[in-house]
Amino acid sequence: MALAKNPGETAKRVLVIKLSALGDFVLALGAMRAIREHHPKAVMTLLTTPPYEGLAKATGYFQHIETDGRPKGVKATRELLKRIKNAKYDIIYDLQTSGRTANYFKALNLPFSTPPLWSGHAEDSAFFHDNPKRSDMHSIDRLADQLKVAGIGPGKVKGGWPPMPDMSFVRRFHGEKPSLTPAYFSINEPFALFIPGASAHREAKRWPVERYGGLAKHVADAGITPVIIGSKAESELAVEINRIEPRARNIVTRTDLFQIVALAEKALFAVGNDTGPMHMAALSGCPGVALFATSESDPEKACPRGANIIVCKADTLDQLSVRDVWQAVQMLSVIPETALGGQS
């Protein structure tokens, strides 16, 4: 298997596996684009989970999107594996590289069978990404390194290296729909995005809500509207921020993934925890301050990638003060000096 060759332009059927989560899925979009470019004539299929079907469709990279990547029960798993086997893919790119997807490879690699070429972290796969430092790499860099093992490297795809996710497909797919404008939410510019959500079971990754409220006061005093976004899980946080600073706008639960990208394109800046929408904002070109609890995750491996991103970090986020984060916001150099007045 060490001498396997990537089929490149001759590939007819290609499968990409990326199941979740939002931040990881978005960070894998650059690798997906590189795979699409490397196999221009192939019918490309994505195996994912339901939350990412719409986003994947909008990219234009895939002819088929299958959402049963995490089947429930033995019967459903067998049906999935049978479908993959019968599809006779020329090559499969496992961008999830989890225990689950490694088991998919093992099930397809049975004796007396011809397994498909496989790129991932499954041992004995044709393009085994065995870099001992892979777990210490940022997702974008790790996926790029995996693709190099599979024969997709610098000079073989458009743009620079590593292949960066590009959220401009949202505009290409949706055009200038009214729902993708700040006016749709009755938001006037300038505004800033507040992204207070994070894993509910990992409290250290959440900056205390009262400090988001304190930051919102500074932002509003500078003539900028704080706009709070998030899912239903952030509803109470948004209400509390709005109680502390009534000039903030609460649009939690009202935005889909495409609207997050569109708002980020127009926002003056974003402030948020280590969460998927913060990655989306950064990749949309929005300047931002990302808040990281180093006891929970390594910013070097997980921080948002963008042209103007500052990382504020502490062992736990309750150690970051409003002053710390407000100073980081000012360091973005996007707020006019005249708007800052005497604030510090």
Side-chain angles (χ1 to χ4, degrees), residues 27-270:
L27 291 173
L29 290 173
M32 293 179 192
R33 187 187 72 250
I35 294 168
R36 173 74 277 174
E37 291 177 6
H38 195 66
H39 304 290
K41 301 175 183 177
V43 173
M44 222 159 98
T45 299
L46 173 70
L47 179 63
T48 186
T49 50
Y52 312 107
E53 182 178 14
L55 201 62
K57 181 180 179 182
T59 64
Y61 304 154
F62 307 99
Q63 280 81 15
H64 304 293
I65 299 167
E66 300 172 354
T67 60
D68 59 342
R70 285 202 175 101
K72 295 182 179 179
V74 174
K75 182 180 178 182
T77 301
R78 285 176 177 168
E79 290 174 351
L80 169 63
L81 292 170
K82 182 179 179 181
R83 190 175 75 235
I84 294 174
K85 183 177 180 180
N86 290 342
K88 299 186 184 305
Y89 292 109
D90 295 295
I91 185 169
I92 295 175
Y93 294 89
D94 175 13
L95 304 186
Q96 188 71 21
T97 60
S98 64
R100 174 188 291 273
T101 54
N103 285 336
Y104 291 170
F105 169 75
K106 292 175 185 176
L108 294 167
N109 194 25
L110 295 174
F112 311 111
S113 66
T114 303
L117 294 176
W118 187 282
S119 164
H121 191 50
E123 199 166 349
D124 296 326
S125 56
F127 305 111
F128 177 34
H129 186 221
D130 60 349
N131 188 330
K133 297 181 179 179
R134 67 185 306 278
S135 62
D136 296 323
M137 303 170 79
H138 191 282
S139 291
I140 291 174
D141 299 323
R142 184 179 67 252
L143 291 174
D145 199 53
Q146 177 183 332
L147 292 186
K148 285 172 68 176
V149 173
I152 304 176
K156 294 193 175 183
V157 295
K158 297 175 184 176
W161 193 264
M164 288 294 294
D166 177 4
M167 305 305 293
S168 63
F169 67 84
V170 171
R171 291 291 180 186
R172 290 196 301 272
F173 185 78
H174 284 291
E176 297 300 321
K177 290 174 63 174
S179 61
L180 296 181
T181 64
Y184 180 80
F185 300 98
S186 300
I187 296 169
N188 296 318
E189 298 183 49
F191 67 93
L193 293 181
F194 276 38
I195 308 173
S199 303
H201 62 286
R202 298 170 75 178
E203 193 65 28
K205 293 183 72 172
R206 287 177 176 259
W207 198 39
V209 64
E210 66 273 9
R211 296 185 198 173
Y212 269 108
L215 180 67
K217 282 188 173 295
H218 283 293
V219 172
D221 286 345
I224 301 159
T225 301
V227 175
I228 313 160
I229 63 171
S231 65
K232 186 177 180 181
E234 283 75 61
S235 294
E236 291 184 10
L237 298 176
V239 168
E240 179 61 15
I241 295 169
N242 222 171
R243 185 193 66 77
I244 296 169
E245 178 43 77
R247 289 172 291 180
R249 287 296 314 284
N250 175 6
I251 60 171
V252 163
T253 72
R254 293 178 56 193
T255 55
D256 61 24
L257 297 179
F258 301 114
Q259 289 168 317
I260 291 172
V261 170
L263 287 173
E265 289 176 344
K266 298 290 186 180
L268 198 61
F269 62 89

